[in-house]
Structure formats: C-alpha cells, structure tokens
Amino acid sequence: MIKLIPHISLRITPGHNRGRTGRETRNVLSICGALFLLLTSSNSWTDDSNATMAQLTDSDITTIVKESYIFAYPVIVNYGQLYQQAINRSSQQYIGGFGVFGHYQPVTAKNNQVKLPNNDTPYSWAWVDLRAEPYVLTLPEVEPDRYYTSQWNDLWGFIIDNPGSIKDGYQGGNYLLVAPGWQGKVPTGIKRVIRGESSLLGSLTRTGFEGGEDADNLQAIQQSYQLKPLSQYLGTQPPPKMDTYWPVWAQKNLSRPSFFSYLKFLMPFIKKQKEDDSAWAHLAKIGISSDGDFDANRLNDSQRLAIQKGIDDAKLLLTAEAATPQERRLYGDRNTIKTDYISRSLGLMIGPWSNNKQQSDSYSWLADGEQQPLDASSHQYVLHFDKEQLPTTQYFWSISLYTLPQQLFYSNELQRYSIGSNSKELMVNADGSIDIYMQNKPPKRSLRGNWLPAPAGLFLPVIRRYGPSQDSADNHQSMAIPSINKLVTDQPKKTKAMTEPQQPAEPAEPAEPAEPAEPAEPAEPAEPAESI
C-alpha cells in the first residue's frame, strides 16, 4: 500500500444575474467603485501622504510588507471573490448580490471553466453584509441519509460554522448571522448565532447528490435555502440601507502595492483581535491604519520598489511553504489556526473554501503502486479495496477521475465521471472487497459497473469522504489506503451489486473543528472566483 498525499479541490463559480433594480444608484456606485484606486491619488488628499513610511529605511519597508502581505492575504483574496459574486453585475460569477444564494448544478465534461470539478455535492454560494442588521439563514429538512452543510467563512478565511447534517442532523432550522459587535436580542426559533471576525461573511453550501435521478430533489433542496434580513424575518421596519463605494477588483493588484489599498478600505469591516496587535502595529508603520496616510499611487520610486520587493518575497515564501503543507493546519476556526498567518494564507492560496475534516476529506493518487505516472494510453489499472479497507463514512465516499494536465472530467460514453458508495451499478466481490477499473477501453461487460473511464493519457483520481468517522478523522495523518496498480489478466468475478448507498450513522454531536485536510501540491495564488 502507498500513503496518499492530501488533495484540495478547487471551487466552482459560474453565475447568473438577477435583482436588477435601482439602475441609477447602481451606475453611480459602479463609477465611484471604478475610480476608487484613482481617488487615492487625488489632490484632495493631504500633501503628506506616505509621510509615515518616509521615516523607514527601504529594508524596513520590505520586511514589514513581507510580513503584512502574508497576514492580510486572505482578506484581499476573499474580497476579490465577493466582488465578482455579489457586486460586479457584469461578472460571469455574479450570483445576484448580497443576501441571496446562487445555485449550481452538477458538472459534466462539457464544462471546462473550473479545475477539478466536484459532482458529489453541487454548490450554492452566498454573501451577506451584516453592518445594517443580521440575516436569518434557513435550512430545510432533508432525508435522513442526505449529506448537506452550509459552510460559513469570514474575510480571514476562518470556518466559523457548518450548520447541516453532520453538526445538526437532517431536520433543518434557522440560524442567525450577526456582525462581530452585534448585541441585539436573539429571536425565538433560532438554533444558534453565527458570528465571525468581519461584518462580511460568505457561504459555500454543499448538497449531497446521488446521480441523474436525484436532480429534481437536488434542485428542490437548493431552492429551499433562504437568507432573510432580520427585519424581514420579524416583520419589522428595516434599518436604512448602507450605500458603499466598492473598489473595483483587479487580479493584478494582488501582486502590486495596490494590494494594501484594498486592505485599508476593508479595515472598517473587520473587528481586530488582541492576538493580531503586533501585525496591525506593523501595518501602521507604513501608514495603514484607521487614520493612516498610505497611498499606493503617491509612492516615490524607492518606496514602490521596497514594497514590491516585500510582496515578491512574501509570495516566494508562500510558494516554498506550499511544498510541505502536510505539516500545517490550513482550515478551521481561530482556535485551530491561531496566529499562524502563513498557514492561513496557504489555505486560501492552495484550496480556498476547503472544509474542516469533520465534514469531508479528500486524497489524490499521484502515481501507481510502482511510483509511475498513471497513464491509460499504455496501461489498464485496478484499485482494490479489501472489505476492511473500504472508506468509513457517516454518509458516502466517491472517486472522481480527471484528465491531466487539464484537470477536467473525461468525456466518455457512459457519462460517468465518478464512482463510489452511491453508485447503483457498483459490484461487490463475494468476500466484500471492491475492484474499480481505470482504463480507456471498456472492460468486459460483467465489469463495466465498476469501470471509471480514463483518457488515453495521464489522469488523476481523487477520493472524497463525506462525514468521515470520528476515529478516521482524528487519525487521518496515519491513514493509508490501497495503491492503484497495473491490471493483471486474472480478474475476480463479481457476485452481487451494491444497489444501495451506505447507510449513515446517527448524526454526530457538534464537536470542535478537527485538524483540517491538507493539500497535495503547491500552487500559485488562485483567481478568487475560480476555486473550490
């Protein structure tokens, strides 16, 4: 057996438009947002812009920027996604604004916009702005064996809650999303309050999907997810709306001094924590504070070069650290990650919106049992699970197969892109073991229920478990699962069909977030709207 390297999938964010009202107000806000970075260099600003930074040496600036870039990276990346999904109406990722869900259906091989797509749990995205008032999240009751979770993150990328089947059961309920400083009365009928460290929160809500015949059920569940302002939930007068000039997002600014212009804009949305005092103090030294004078467009040549070097050094450090992510905790709440800013940024860089290990985990096979690349142009492969090796879950497990280097589903005659415990055609051997065949040409007819079609070339299989058992989650670092081996001619016969998915265990009691899943490969920072 070989020990597998953890894999983090990337997020999917195709979008659609809705809610087009207030055209004149939108035009004004759009123009103002587009001019944000330009306005930072307007003559209306004082002549002593960047005076704070002028007291530092170039070396000091570079050191501070390097540390501060790593500290602030998640906030800026998350703003980029928020802007594309909730603000920019011309974006393909637009979901309709704040306070609504954008629902997406299962992906096929025809979809080529998203790397490593996931068909197990189609996504529903949402963002809320909690400055004016809280929102009420409503989840529907689902079947007892249906997996679903509404993951909520703050701007730091901390996973602040996961209401759904594993943490709460299948009965659904109402949850109150509040800003960090909110002290109002919690209305009756609310299961619990969800609070992060920012007044902007985002959700990636996942709904378990059992295949084509389940499509209508999937859509019905997705349409039952609701977000309502607290005033609407209570039937009271809403507070005044808050008009905001949102800075236009440009991916290139993630690698430029303008990175810090975004941070300065976003500071009022964040409640500072005492643990971060040192990081905020460093930022104040270069003029980034509530009354700071930082202006990215009025830097002198020396300052600009020093800042750029700090950004470049930070990116090099993150890339180097991504080579050994197994040694880090990348996903979880503040208590899990604490002030490990490198790990927090690596999580957003490698696998944004990955969940904690109590919800799901995933692993990739990067080679066969002989440590050779998986190549179906010249070989046929089999993955054999002894009965005792079958993945243990509360809900289900699934193996998806991707083309390389494209990292997309492979178009095949069966339109089969994954196989697992919910696959009705999957056959089990007489001794309870399972063989899964990965090859380009179909196997003999009796084995086709266990065939995961592969391209005539390199491919990447990924296994995902939903609701890993508590023991396996706690001991995930030492978990080893079978290697994928070149197929020999003596193939076992199938004797019975796995016609029903594994039955889930009783919903687990809420528990502290476990050590999060770790990524397989280093990657350059991803486009915020193109991930998990």
Side-chain angles (χ1 to χ4, degrees), residues 434-478:
I434 291 179
D435 294 303
I436 295 174
Y437 301 98
M438 303 177 190
Q439 56 195 63
N440 182 248
K441 300 297 183 182
K444 63 183 181 180
R445 187 171 299 277
S446 63
L447 303 178
R448 291 190 184 182
N450 292 39
W451 176 36
L452 188 52
L458 299 175
F459 66 94
L460 173 71
V462 175
I463 185 170
R464 298 179 174 96
R465 301 187 304 171
Y466 296 91
S469 67
Q470 191 61 51
D471 288 344
S472 61
D474 291 343
N475 296 286
H476 206 60
Q477 292 300 322
S478 60

Side-chain angles (χ1 to χ4, degrees), residues 59-80:
S59 177
D60 290 338
I61 293 172
T62 294
T63 299
I64 291 172
V65 166
K66 177 182 177 180
E67 296 174 353
S68 298
Y69 183 92
I70 293 171
F71 170 70
Y73 180 84
V75 173
I76 311 307
V77 170
N78 278 321
Y79 176 74

Side-chain angles (χ1 to χ4, degrees), residues 89-149:
R89 293 177 179 270
S90 64
S91 169
Q92 291 184 347
Q93 291 87 41
Y94 186 69
I95 62 173
F98 289 103
V100 296
F101 276 103
H103 305 296
Y104 307 117
Q105 301 309 304
V107 178
T108 71
K110 295 180 180 179
N111 301 101
N112 58 11
Q113 296 180 344
V114 180
K115 306 296 185 183
L116 301 173
N118 172 5
N119 255 3
D120 302 325
T121 56
Y123 302 143
S124 300
W125 290 97
W127 291 91
V128 290
D129 182 350
L130 304 172
R131 290 174 297 166
E133 62 174 325
Y135 269 78
V136 176
L137 164 69
T138 299
L139 300 182
E141 182 175 353
V142 298
E143 310 94 314
D145 59 351
R146 171 93 56 180
Y147 172 80
Y148 74 149
T149 186

Side-chain angles (χ1 to χ4, degrees), residues 43-360:
N43 289 333
S44 63
W45 284 59
T46 59
D47 290 335
D48 60 352
S49 291
N50 302 312
T52 303
M53 201 186 316
Q55 304 174 35
L56 302 173
T57 66
D58 291 350
S59 177
D60 290 338
I61 293 172
T62 294
T63 299
I64 291 172
V65 166
K66 177 182 177 180
E67 296 174 353
S68 298
Y69 183 92
I70 293 171
F71 170 70
Y73 180 84
V75 173
I76 311 307
V77 170
N78 278 321
Y79 176 74
Q81 182 181 352
L82 176 152
Y83 183 84
Q84 299 288 39
Q85 290 187 312
I87 298 168
N88 183 9
R89 293 177 179 270
S90 64
S91 169
Q92 291 184 347
Q93 291 87 41
Y94 186 69
I95 62 173
F98 289 103
V100 296
F101 276 103
H103 305 296
Y104 307 117
Q105 301 309 304
V107 178
T108 71
K110 295 180 180 179
N111 301 101
N112 58 11
Q113 296 180 344
V114 180
K115 306 296 185 183
L116 301 173
N118 172 5
N119 255 3
D120 302 325
T121 56
Y123 302 143
S124 300
W125 290 97
W127 291 91
V128 290
D129 182 350
L130 304 172
R131 290 174 297 166
E133 62 174 325
Y135 269 78
V136 176
L137 164 69
T138 299
L139 300 182
E141 182 175 353
V142 298
E143 310 94 314
D145 59 351
R146 171 93 56 180
Y147 172 80
Y148 74 149
T149 186
S150 188
Q151 176 185 343
W152 286 86
N153 289 12
D154 61 17
L155 286 180
W156 293 115
F158 290 132
I159 301 172
I160 58 176
D161 212 330
N162 262 289
S165 53
I166 288 179
K167 192 168 183 179
D168 301 286
Y170 62 89
Q171 298 88 352
N174 298 315
Y175 305 83
L176 192 64
L177 304 163
V178 304
W182 187 80
Q183 298 294 329
K185 180 180 179 181
V186 178
T188 58
I190 297 295
K191 278 195 170 183
R192 65 175 171 273
V193 173
I194 298 175
R195 188 193 311 263
E197 296 182 14
S198 63
S199 55
L200 298 172
L201 301 181
S203 175
L204 173 53
T205 296
R206 300 167 171 90
T207 309
F209 178 59
E210 298 182 3
E213 296 179 357
D214 194 38
D216 290 343
N217 296 328
L218 168 67
Q219 293 184 32
I221 293 170
Q222 289 180 324
Q223 293 301 323
S224 297
Y225 298 142
Q226 295 181 17
L227 285 166
K228 291 182 179 179
L230 181 58
S231 59
Q232 181 181 347
Y233 179 81
L234 296 175
T236 59
Q237 185 70 23
K241 293 184 177 180
M242 303 185 70
D243 290 335
T244 303
Y245 304 141
W246 301 97
V248 169
W249 173 254
Q251 178 72 10
K252 62 185 179 182
N253 288 330
L254 198 58
S255 302
R256 297 181 177 182
S258 297
F259 172 97
F260 292 102
S261 296
Y262 289 126
L263 178 61
K264 191 173 180 184
F265 164 79
L266 291 166
M267 285 178 64
F269 295 87
I270 297 169
K271 182 179 180 181
K272 296 180 181 179
Q273 304 297 313
K274 185 174 179 58
E275 300 97 308
D276 299 330
D277 282 353
S278 176
W280 288 115
H282 277 77
L283 282 161
K285 292 180 179 180
I286 57 174
I288 301 173
S289 62
S290 57
D291 58 352
D293 57 12
F294 178 84
D295 181 351
N297 289 295
R298 300 185 68 178
L299 299 166
N300 61 41
D301 291 344
S302 178
Q303 292 170 336
R304 183 172 298 278
L305 288 173
I307 291 176
Q308 190 62 57
K309 186 177 187 308
I311 291 174
D312 294 343
D313 288 350
K315 292 174 65 178
L316 286 172
L317 174 60
L318 289 174
T319 301
E321 291 293 335
T324 56
Q326 298 89 342
E327 301 173 5
R328 296 185 173 275
R329 297 184 176 187
L330 304 182
Y331 307 103
D333 59 9
R334 164 73 75 167
N335 291 331
T336 300
I337 300 178
K338 303 184 186 302
T339 57
D340 185 352
Y341 304 139
I342 292 178
S343 291
R344 188 173 66 185
S345 289
L346 281 177
L348 268 290
M349 174 179 169
I350 298 172
W353 290 95
S354 293
N355 215 328
N356 61 47
K357 290 194 332 188
Q358 287 181 317
Q359 292 290 327
S360 61

